[in-house]
């Protein structure tokens, strides 16, 4: 299954750029992990771009109001999607005003990394680290303990 992360706005914080570069580099060994940036804007405009970009794919809306999962639970979900033949999973990160309720309603999963509101580039780094962790678990590698 291909994984695509779609983020509102261009990266600007150095520590986040470094974190993104590090996990993108690590993930190259594990399959297809693509990062796409869409234009920033109002909640309505950004949610529409994220909705359009995630058509015909598993749609994971990253949102502090969502379900809090353990890494093992996320691993199980990704394995289930792969076993039922899903081709692409998208992970959607919003802008300063967050997602619309309509986008949340159309999600396969609304996933909260924590109940805290995170700066969106920090949320991106945490998401990439979790996808990397799960990729190593799928290979039976010892990164996850
Ligand atoms: C600054 S936050 C938006 C906060 C906005 N006030 C709201 O109500 O959602 C920007 C984006 O970062 C992501 N994000 C922030 N905190 C998150 C968390 N705890 N779990 C998952 N994603 C988060 C979400 O995609 C969110 O749309």
């Amino acid at each position: 299954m291909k994984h695509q992360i779609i983020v509102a706005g261009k990266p600007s914080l150095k520590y986040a750029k470094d974190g993104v570069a590090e996990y993108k580099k690590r993930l190259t060994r594990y399959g297809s992990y693509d990062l796409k940036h869409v234009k920033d804007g109002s909640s309505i405009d950004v949610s529409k771009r994220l909705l359009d970009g995630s058509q015909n794919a598993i749609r994971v809306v990253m949102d502090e109001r969502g379900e809090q999962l353990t890494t093992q639970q996320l691993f199980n979900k990704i394995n289930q999607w792969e076993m039922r033949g899903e081709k692409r999973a998208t992970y959607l990160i919003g802008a300063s005003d967050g997602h619309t309720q309509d986008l949340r309603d159309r999600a396969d999963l609304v996933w909260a990394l924590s109940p805290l509101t995170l700066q969106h580039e920090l949320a991106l780094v945490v998401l990439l680290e979790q996808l990397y962790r799960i990729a190593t678990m799928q290979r039976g590698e010892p990164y996850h303990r």
Side-chain angles (χ1 to χ4, degrees):
M1 186 171 68
K2 294 184 176 179
H3 301 264
Q4 184 178 47
I5 299 136
I6 312 180
V7 191
K10 291 277 179 215
S12 61
L13 300 176
K14 184 179 176 320
Y15 81 87
K17 280 189 202 167
D18 290 348
V20 168
E22 173 65 28
Y23 286 109
K24 273 186 72 183
K25 186 175 85 187
R26 290 189 191 198
L27 280 163
T28 51
R29 288 181 49 229
Y30 295 88
S32 175
Y33 293 84
D34 173 52
L35 180 58
K36 178 179 170 186
H37 293 273
V38 295
K39 197 165 160 246
D40 207 349
S42 70
S43 180
I44 291 175
D45 290 344
V46 168
S47 289
K48 183 172 182 324
R49 287 179 198 119
L50 296 175
L51 186 66
D52 290 346
S54 55
Q55 296 296 345
N56 304 318
I58 293 286
R59 181 178 289 129
V60 181
V61 172
M62 307 301 301
D63 192 296
E64 68 204 49
R65 300 159 192 77
E67 220 180 307
Q68 289 179 55
L69 301 170
T70 64
T71 299
Q72 184 65 48
Q73 286 170 326
L74 188 68
F75 171 82
N76 294 344
K77 272 192 194 289
I78 288 179
N79 282 348
Q80 279 165 12
W81 295 333
E82 289 187 348
M83 277 164 55
R84 69 177 200 225
E86 299 292 348
K87 298 277 181 286
R88 187 168 69 108
T90 53
Y91 306 83
L92 311 179
I93 298 188
S96 319
D97 294 329
H99 303 294
T100 58
Q101 186 58 45
D102 180 58
L103 181 61
R104 281 191 288 271
D105 289 344
R106 292 166 183 243
D108 294 284
L109 171 66
V110 183
W111 176 22
L113 296 165
S114 110
L116 302 172
T117 303
L118 306 175
Q119 199 276 347
H120 72 284
E121 292 174 80
L122 177 57
L124 170 60
V125 175
V126 177
L127 168 62
L128 284 170
E129 195 276 339
Q130 287 300 298
L131 292 178
Y132 172 68
R133 185 172 288 274
I134 286 161
T136 65
M137 290 164 76
Q138 288 178 318
R139 292 259 180 103
E141 294 175 358
Y143 177 76
H144 178 65
R145 282 170 216 168

